[in-house]
Amino acid sequence: MPLPLQYAIIAVAVAISAWVVARKQFPNALRKARVALALPLLREGRPAWLHAVGRRIAPPPVAPASGCGGCDNCSD
């Protein structure tokens, strides 16, 4: 197997690993980064294809927290 292909495969594996670690360990920072990347693409006057890219980059909306403290045990 050619050496550049091996390097490319390793680079893809490292990038995927870094993405998984970032999602698991730093969800708030990753969310802020996605918002910062998506906002310029969603500005008024941008082409439709940029809006579509911005919507794909933007994180899903966060549901408002309930007043109980968030134990997810609503049987009380």
Side-chain angles (χ1 to χ4, degrees):
M1 186 181 297
L3 191 59
L5 181 59
Q6 290 177 12
Y7 284 153
I9 291 171
I10 291 171
V12 168
V14 168
I16 291 171
S17 297
W19 178 255
V20 169
V21 168
R23 284 183 52 194
K24 298 279 185 183
Q25 299 297 322
F26 310 108
N28 291 334
L30 188 61
R31 180 175 180 77
K32 288 179 184 178
R34 288 176 68 182
V35 167
L37 289 173
L39 279 179
L41 299 176
L42 295 172
R43 288 194 181 126
E44 197 67 36
R46 301 283 184 171
W49 67 273
L50 276 180
H51 281 270
V53 171
R55 282 189 298 272
R56 284 198 47 89
I57 292 173
V62 176
S66 64
C68 68
C71 68
D72 294 332
N73 187 5
C74 294
S75 62
D76 297 314

